């Protein structure tokens, strides 16, 4: 994968680790990185819990390689999780036990011998055991002095526990078992059967107490696992099994990993309380919304002292919706993402503190709009980088932030209360085109959020250059960013000299053959625009005196082929951050004695995924030319096969075109 | 050895599995951000050396926030702490732009962060200021108790911001053992020494910005170093380090027979060189690199039998194990302490434990069957010592990672320690491109396009990193990685099937790792301008000459050799190419381009060699001349002319 500074910006990769671990807790959305939990362990095992490992089979001992994966550094022989849901009415905690058995196949696999897991008040690590079984039959246990607990935040009481398995060598089998405990089942996290290395056997067993209704669903599509019911001691559940799993296809510019293969999510639907009444849990979005309003959003709304005068003041603005959004977005810092308010949050409280969760800010926005006579609806929105699950599966844990929808002359308009770079009715690219849930009074309703077309996210460079008598190029340029391209840069370069300096650095990177000076920047969140003007002088080291060459696609090119994999090798869709368009117009003139020696051939490539156009117009006097180039990508998602081939070919044509220089020589 | 993995507040990953921290630097709380940012109106630090050898460090800091970026950077104030560095007091306030003083600070937290180590006793106290704005000032007063293992320390004097009022005082030391030194250039700095202490002060220090290729970390920044014990010699430092290495084990040995293993591994090997190679490879490959530093464990290695049993360890663990294994077969090697990293170097004038962040093995060449004028033992040899790094994943004893090349190493011994400069070995750090092209492939291609083969050969560090990536990847994705690498050197080229090969065993560059990548290639538009010129893609070995123009700061570079050989078969009716010859050869390196005809094939050969890792001011003009020659020559097209130009 190649890239250059002038490549289009991407929103990603996602900073937050993907959710695949155990189950979070009501009141604190706990998220565990799946790759860690998968092999995770930690903490010296307390006396209350002590696991023994099942015997190693001859078949497991005999594994020396994995068919289809000759370079696999290690293989997971088995990955078994047991989820025991407890009766919430009895105040009992649920548990998750995970046992992973891994065999080291090559020296590169030795790094599988250390593991780590994050935990905290909402997800407590109760115990860990581990051992190394050497090829000669010796067993070396994980000792407590090889387990390290780090407090990642004293304030949040969060920890990371790490352990180093002993005597790890090629041919060794590593057993790791851990036990976690949690109190709430309201934010079920998906379970991943896979690992970054091949997995021969992967299973999830879950059981629920009598009276609790549970169902298991894939995050999207059809369930790929085999399932058999479990009934034991009045508890019921199921055993899900998958075998011979290849590592997830992590291809460049791909979908979120969890979109590539479904994960299992165990949904607690209902339970019977101590009085014998059935209590719905995650049986339907209606229930979830009701619970949220009652337990979380309602208390936030209730603490609304001081809201009325504020609303009256903001409602006097020429555009009350914009004024209210601006106040909430910029006047109250965003302290936490997700759909849950922070414990104890109220509207009055966040106004006083000047800081609030995304959810509480959305409620504040909704309440202020309401007092100004504007009806707003809360919207739960996802971030596509975390995957786009099927909203038919009821799970509030899917969502990343809370927006507010208002009616905009008969059209849905969305307000983001937490992103200071977004004006009214604009969404961040991570939300555009994704599924969202409208929390309407009549009941929750799935919707697809609107998108911005390619021409709405524009980068346009206008350059006026002249070749001097000494053979050096010089001139001025302007760069205009609109839409998502502006969003990407707005408020991120500081202000004043710092902003100019930052853009100078950006331009110097994009125009490596030039000294960049006189940089001036104007930006506007309201209009989603950034305008940069600058002066260019060719670097002394680039000046030859009798020959001058220029790549005319600068500063938005040259395009490099980013889709290196041949069409037949690409297995998963390409996910493009957002459709966009690049435009370059360069005017170049030169003095007598110089003549044009070479120039790019015209280009006109049009495909279903985008198009590229390049043309050169020579002035009548033979001492001036105008070069124009446009490169547009229409799609967000490009499927493997022909669409991918079209995208790859488009980039190849652009790369070939951009590699050609304008050459002037002095005879 | 600044506790080679723990006491650092900043660290750098040098190679896969080898992560080396920087040293403990008092006053680190001063952000080392970009220049031109916040204004440090006052920075007063007083360090009182206590009778028990501990330090009481009090700091008063007042910072004016001039931009939004300042606000973002100073909203959270971090204080580095560890097992030997405790926060005894901290008070903070905000002086609002309108003159109000607010003592409230939104939040405090303590986070443990191992950084690049797997685990370390390292933590940060975080102080979060509420609702800062441009024009506000933050005021911090704090006291820290520090109990250093070795009687020496240092204070960073100038991190980057403009400093209006700087004053650093150290006092309380025994005058007979007190020593201090100021490194780095700070105009206007006043240093007033006294018995058992020193005062360093300055007013109006301008902001500092590190230019590209500047030395990294604290080595690039002015610092006050001081010591209050020992005799201030490298012998003393070496003895202390060796004492840590051979002192009481930090944990119980769980068995393991180092001597038995050495005998077993070398039983059928005849020469000491063979035994060295085998034992080095064992420690490099079978003992996985993992840094765990808790307290003094940041300095003290685990007992070799324990390391052998558990099969993991950090640089000092692996070094002492290899030293013991070699001793068991009659080779008396020593630990050699180094400051690792291309942008770092040790100051030989101020002996201190925190000069080092890494340790390797030094083997007397004489014990390998080669004396003066004797056999070439292969590998990184200087002053009769062969330097071997057991933390490397590849290369055995024949290759020393460039981060450890051209560095002063303290070869520690019971009878004394000596500083030796490790050798520079650019010939082992090679990137070589060979492209064989036909510009008349029978009318299949467009005019000006060329078809042929391309082969990229990498040795040394680049090959090591690539092999680590390719070795773990499945064949198809490994080929794609190799394709991407080759394609990056040939813009717009279309590559056919790409193959890659591990050539390390062929030893094309001594023992250095070696990789070869090759593919069929079509390069569009190689010949342009109506067949009047050819533009060959550039492959630079030198930095952009512009960053060297008028430069005063030293530049640090990878020592390496870069060469490209273009073999061009021109159309029969073409005029011959004309290229200006170019040749620069000076103390820093060399560049040469040549053009020759060999059996009807035109061969353009470009070779660049950088021999010096650290280019001081005096040699910068030589580096600039070299870079200008290389960049300009490679920018120029090959002209095709049927007659000599007038």
């Amino acid at each position: 994968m190649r890239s250059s500074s002038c490549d289009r910006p991407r929103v990603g990769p996602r900073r937050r680790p993907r959710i695949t671990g155990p189950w979070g807790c009501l009141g604190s959305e706990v998220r565990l990185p799946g790759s860690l939990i998968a092999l995770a362990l930690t903490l010296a095992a307390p006396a209350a819990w002590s696991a023994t490992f099942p015997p190693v089979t001859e078949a497991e001992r005999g594994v020396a390689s994995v068919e289809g994966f000759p370079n696999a550094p290690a293989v997971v022989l088995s990955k078994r999780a047991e989820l025991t849901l407890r009766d919430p009415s009895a105040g009992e905690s649920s548990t998750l036990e995970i046992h992973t058995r891994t065999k080291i196949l090559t020296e590169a696999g030795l790094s599988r011998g250390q593991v780590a897991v994050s935990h905290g008040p909402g997800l407590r690590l109760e115990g860990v055991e581990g051992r190394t079984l050497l090829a000669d039959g010796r067993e070396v246990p994980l000792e407590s002095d090889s387990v390290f607990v780090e407090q990642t935040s004293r304030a949040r009481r969060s920890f990371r526990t790490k352990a180093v398995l002993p005597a790890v060598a090629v041919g060794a089998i590593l057993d790791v078992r851990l036990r976690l405990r949690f109190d709430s089942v309201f934010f079920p996290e998906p379970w991943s059967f896979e690992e970054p290395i091949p997995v021969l056997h992967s299973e999830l067993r879950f059981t629920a107490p009598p009276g609790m209704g549970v169902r298991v669903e894939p995050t999207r599509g059809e369930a790929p696992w085999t399932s058999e019911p479990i009934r034991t001691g009045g508890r019921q559940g199921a055993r899900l099994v998958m075998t011979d799993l290849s590592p997830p296809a992590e291809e460049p510019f791909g979908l979120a990993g969890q979109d590539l293969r479904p994960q299992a999510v165990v949904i607690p639907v209902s339970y019977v309380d101590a009085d014998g009444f059935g209590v719905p849990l995650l049986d339907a979005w209606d229930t979830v919304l009701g619970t949220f309003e009652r337990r979380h959003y309602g208390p936030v709304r209730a603490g609304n002292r001081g809201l009325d005068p504020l609303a009256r003041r903001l409602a006097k603005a020429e555009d009350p919706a914009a004024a209210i959004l601006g106040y909430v977005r910029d006047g109250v810092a965003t302290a936490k993402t997700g759909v849950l308010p922070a414990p104890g949050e109220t509207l009055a409280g966040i106004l006083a503190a000047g800081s609030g969760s995304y959810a509480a800010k959305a409620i504040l926005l909704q309440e202020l709009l309401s007092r100004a006579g504007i009806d707003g609806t809360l919207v739960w929105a996802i971030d596509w980088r975390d995957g786009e699950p099927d909203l038919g599966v009821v799970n509030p844990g899917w969502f990343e932030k809370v927006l507010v929808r208002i009616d905009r002359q008969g059209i849905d308009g969305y307000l983001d209360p937490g992103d200071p770079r977004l004006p009214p009715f604009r969404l961040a690219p991570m939300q555009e085109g994704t599924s969202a849930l409208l929390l309407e009074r009549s009941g929750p309703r799935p919707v697809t959020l609107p998108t911005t077309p390619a021409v709405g996210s524009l980068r346009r460079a206008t350059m006026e250059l002249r070749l001097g008598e000494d053979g050096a190029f010089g001139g001025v340029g302007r760069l205009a960013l609109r839409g998502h391209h502006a969003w990407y840069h707005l408020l991120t370069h500081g202000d004043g000299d710092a902003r100019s300096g930052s853009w100078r650095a950006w331009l110097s990177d994009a125009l490596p053959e030039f000294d960049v000076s006189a940089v001036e920047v104007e930006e506007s969140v309201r209009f989603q625009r950034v305008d940069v003007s600058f002066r260019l002088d060719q670097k002394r080291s680039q000046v030859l005196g009798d020959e001058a060459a220029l790549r005319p696609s600068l500063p938005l090119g040259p395009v490099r082929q980013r889709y290196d994999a041949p069409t037949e090798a690409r297995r998963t869709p390409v996910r493009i951050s957002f459709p966009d368009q690049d435009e370059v117009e360069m005017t170049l003139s030169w003095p007598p004695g110089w003549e044009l020696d070479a120039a790019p051939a015209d280009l006109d490539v049009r495909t279903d995924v985008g198009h590229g156009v390049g043309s050169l117009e020579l002035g009548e006097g033979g001492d001036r030319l105008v070069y124009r180039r446009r490169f547009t990508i229409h799609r967000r998602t490009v499927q493997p096969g022909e669409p991918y081939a079209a995208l790859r070919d488009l980039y190849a044509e652009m790369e070939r075109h951009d590699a050609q220089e304008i050459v002037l020589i002095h005879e | 050895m600044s506790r080679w993995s723990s006491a650092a507040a900043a660290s750098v990953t040098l190679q896969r599995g080898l992560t080396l921290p920087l040293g403990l630097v008092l006053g680190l709380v001063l952000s080392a951000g970009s220049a031109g940012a916040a204004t440090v109106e006052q920075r007063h630090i007083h360090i009182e050396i206590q009778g028990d050898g501990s330090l009481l460090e009090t700091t008063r800091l007042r910072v004016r926030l001039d931009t939004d970026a300042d606000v973002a950077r100073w909203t959270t104030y971090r204080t580095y702490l560890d097992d030997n560095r405790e926060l005894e007091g901290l008070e903070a306030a905000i002086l609002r732009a309108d003159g109000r003083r607010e003592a409230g600070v939104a939040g405090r937290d303590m986070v443990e962060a191992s950084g690049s180590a797997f685990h370390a006793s390292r933590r940060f106290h975080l102080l979060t200021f509420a609702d800062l704005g441009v024009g506000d000032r933050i005021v911090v007063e704090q006291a820290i108790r520090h109990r250093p293992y070795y009687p020496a320390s240092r204070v960073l004097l100038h991190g980057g911001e403009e400093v209006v009022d700087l004053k650093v005082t150290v006092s309380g030391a025994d005058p007979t053992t007190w020593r201090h030194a100021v490194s780095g250039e700070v105009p206007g700095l006043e240093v007033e020494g006294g018995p058992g202490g020193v005062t360093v002060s300055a007013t109006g220090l301008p902001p500092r910005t590190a230019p590209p290729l500047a030395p990294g970390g604290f080595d690039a920044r002015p610092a006050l170093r001081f010591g209050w014990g020992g005799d201030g010699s490298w012998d003393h430092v070496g003895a202390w380090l060796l004492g840590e290495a051979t002192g009481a084990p930090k944990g119980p040995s769980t068995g393991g027979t180092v001597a038995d293993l050495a005998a077993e591994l070398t039983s059928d090997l005849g020469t000491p060189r063979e035994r060295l190679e085998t034992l080095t490879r064992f420690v490099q490959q079978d003992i996985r690199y993992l840094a765990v530093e808790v307290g003094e464990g940041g300095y003290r290695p685990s007992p070799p039998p324990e390391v052998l049993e558990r099969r993991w360890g950090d640089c000092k663990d692996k070094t002492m194990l290899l030293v013991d294994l070699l001793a068991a077969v009659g080779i008396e090697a020593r630990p050699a302490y180094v400051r690792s990293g291309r942008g770092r170097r040790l100051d030989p004038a101020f002996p201190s434990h925190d000069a080092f962040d890494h340790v390797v093995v030094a083997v007397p060449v004489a014990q390998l069957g080669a004396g003066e004028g004797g056999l070439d033992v292969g590998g990184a040899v200087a002053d009769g010592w062969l330097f071997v790094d057991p933390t490397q994943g590849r290369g055995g004893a024949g290759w020393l990672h460039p981060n450890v090349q051209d560095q002063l190493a303290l070869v520690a011994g019971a009878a004394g320690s000596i500083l030796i400069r490790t050798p520079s070995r650019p010939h082992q750090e090679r990137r070589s491109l060979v492209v064989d092209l036909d510009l008349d492939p029978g009318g299949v291609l467009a005019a000006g396009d060329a078809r042929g083969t391309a082969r990229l050969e990498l040795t040394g560090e680049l090959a090591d990193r690539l092999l680590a990536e390719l070795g773990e990847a499945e064949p198809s994705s490994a080929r794609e990685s190799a394709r991407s690498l080759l394609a990056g050197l040939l813009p717009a080229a279309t590559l056919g099937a790409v193959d890659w090969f591990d050539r390390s065993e062929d030893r094309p560059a001594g023992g250095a790792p070696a990789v070869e990548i090759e593919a069929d290639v079509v390069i569009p538009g190689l010949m342009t301008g109506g067949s009047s010129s050819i533009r060959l893609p550039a492959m630079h070995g030198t930095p952009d000459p512009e960053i060297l123009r008028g430069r005063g700061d030293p530049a640090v570079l990878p020592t390496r050799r870069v060469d490209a050989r273009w073999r061009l078969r021109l159309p029969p009716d073409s005029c011959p190419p004309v290229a200006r010859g170019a040749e620069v050869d000076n103390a820093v390196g060399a560049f040469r381009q040549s053009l020759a005809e060999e059996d009807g094939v035109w061969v353009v050969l470009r070779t660049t060699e950088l021999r010096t890792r650290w280019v001081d001011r005096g040699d910068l003009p030589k580096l600039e001349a070299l870079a200008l020659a290389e960049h300009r020559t490679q920018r120029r097209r090959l002209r095709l002319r049927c007659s000599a130009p007038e």
Side-chain angles (χ1 to χ4, degrees), chain B residues 257-266 269 271-284 304-305 308 317-336 360-365 367-369 385-390 396-398 411:
Chain B
T257 53
V258 174
D260 289 350
L261 177 74
E264 179 189 332
L265 291 173
T266 60
L269 300 175
T271 69
R273 184 66 178 81
E274 290 172 334
R275 293 196 285 270
L276 167 68
E277 190 65 40
T278 296
L279 295 175
T280 300
R281 285 184 182 271
F282 169 79
V283 179
Q284 287 181 342
L308 191 57
D317 295 338
K318 296 180 80 157
T319 286
M320 296 316 296
L321 174 60
L322 182 55
V323 167
D324 276 14
L325 286 167
L326 292 171
V329 298
I331 300 172
E332 297 300 323
R334 296 187 192 179
V360 299
V361 176
V363 183
V365 172
Q367 295 192 21
L368 299 177
W385 295 87
L386 170 66
F387 292 90
V388 174
D389 189 342
V411 179

Side-chain angles (χ1 to χ4, degrees), chain A residues 267-447:
Chain A
I267 308 284
V269 177
S270 63
Y271 71 100
V272 178
D273 69 11
D275 298 323
F277 291 103
V279 179
L281 284 172
L282 302 178
D283 63 329
W285 286 118
D286 278 336
T287 307
V288 172
L289 179 56
T291 303
F292 262 74
E293 272 299 333
R294 191 173 60 254
R295 297 179 58 171
H296 302 294
Y297 291 177
V300 174
R301 292 182 205 281
N304 59 13
R305 194 174 52 193
L307 208 60
D308 289 335
L310 174 63
R312 279 196 295 274
R313 180 168 61 82
L314 293 169
K316 291 176 184 172
E318 184 179 341
D319 183 347
I324 291 170
L325 174 65
Y327 179 85
V328 175
R329 182 192 62 198
D330 303 335
V332 181
T334 306
K336 168 181 172 294
T337 58
V339 297
L340 270 178
E345 269 190 324
T346 64
L347 298 183
I350 66 171
L351 284 173
S355 173
S357 65
Y358 232 110
K361 287 183 67 174
I363 295 168
L364 174 63
L365 176 59
Q366 184 189 36
E367 291 293 320
L368 288 171
L369 288 168
S370 173
R371 283 162 173 75
I374 302 169
D375 190 26
T377 306
L378 297 183
V379 184
W380 284 356
I382 64 170
D383 182 324
W384 69 260
R385 295 170 299 175
D386 285 334
E388 297 189 57
D390 180 358
L391 295 191
V393 180
V394 178
N395 180 5
W398 299 146
F399 300 100
E400 168 74 12
K401 60 165 73 166
V402 187
L403 311 174
V404 175
R405 187 213 62 174
I406 63 174
D407 182 79
R408 186 189 177 197
Q409 298 173 328
I411 301 172
D412 285 348
Y414 293 89
L415 309 177
D416 188 324
D419 189 333
R421 296 172 292 172
L422 289 174
F425 314 123
R426 297 289 304 216
L427 293 170
M430 299 85 74
Q431 272 79 49
E432 281 200 346
T434 62
S435 298
L437 199 67
L438 274 179
L439 308 186
E440 294 182 324
R441 290 195 186 90
S442 57
R445 178 166 63 92
V447 293

Side-chain angles (χ1 to χ4, degrees), chain A residues 1 71 113-114 150-155 162 167 539-542 546 549 597 656 661 663 665, chain B residues 109-112 114 118-119 288 310 473-474 484 524 529 535 544 546 580 624 632 635-637 639:
Chain A
M1 178 172 60
N71 287 349
Q114 51 264 14
E150 297 172 358
Q151 187 164 32
T152 50
S153 171
R154 183 179 290 176
K162 300 173 174 177
K539 291 178 177 175
R540 184 183 54 121
S541 60
Q542 302 292 324
D546 58 354
D597 185 54
R656 180 187 169 103
E661 293 178 316
V663 183
I665 56 174
Chain B
D109 199 357
M110 186 79 79
V111 301
E112 292 181 278
S114 297
F118 183 72
H119 175 66
R288 71 189 199 270
R310 72 189 189 199
E474 291 307 323
S484 183
R535 171 74 188 272
D544 183 348
E546 298 298 327
R580 295 185 184 180
E624 186 180 4
R632 282 186 171 152
R635 182 168 177 74
R636 187 174 288 283
R637 290 161 180 267
R639 290 279 153 199

Side-chain angles (χ1 to χ4, degrees), chain B residues 282-296:
Chain B
F282 169 79
V283 179
Q284 287 181 342
Q285 295 173 2
D286 287 31
I287 307 295
R288 71 189 199 270
Y289 179 85
L290 203 67
V292 171
E293 294 101 14
V294 179
E296 199 168 12

